[in-house]
Amino acid sequence: GGILDSSEVFCCLASCGTCGGLDCENRDGGASGCCTSQITESCIVKGLPCLATEYGYIMCPDDAIFDSSGLFCCPSSCGQCGGYGCHLLPGGESQCCTSQITNSCTYYHPPCMLEIAEPRTCPDDGILDETGFVCCPSSCGECGGFGCDSRPGGASNCCTSQITNLCSEYSPPCILDETAAESNSDGVCPDDGILDETGAFC
């Protein structure tokens, strides 16, 4: 009766509607039922929410902290793992931004990714923004952030708040994670709210 996340690793409560992704803590079931970062035990040993894998109990090594997907681990000194502004956290981009993490936790101390994770990559040599969800053309040099509108390609290619197409259907600029697109598929905030630079938060 549960629902799988996009990685097909985590099972959330059916009431969540979507498993994991942005704004998961605000769904019917709360963070414990809908956020993959909160799910650590196998469905073999417990009911929902749970891990639909043979990996059993998953934790970040060395008291590190999960990102929102539950697949990447950052040093606890970061305070949070990944997400907007991660490059400003103690430890900087290399320690705290999931788009920079490629080492396996099996062989390396955090920052690292669990064996079930795959590094996020953009199609057609695009470049990731710091959240690890949005891709810009490589000509931008950097994806999102301050001054994005003045880079080669302009705001429509280099500013993440302008990007709503999915990478499964389009070349960069595009959004990798389908839940990011679903959270704000039309690029407009309700009740006259304003978008942040990721284009995912109001």
Side-chain angles (χ1 to χ4, degrees), residues 164-181:
T164 58
N165 291 331
L166 289 178
C167 293
S168 59
E169 301 173 11
Y170 297 89
S171 295
C174 56
I175 298 172
L176 273 182
D177 191 314
E178 62 188 19
T179 59

Side-chain angles (χ1 to χ4, degrees), residues 140-152:
C140 293
E142 181 181 346
C143 190
F146 183 74
C148 58
D149 57 332
S150 61
R151 299 184 195 128

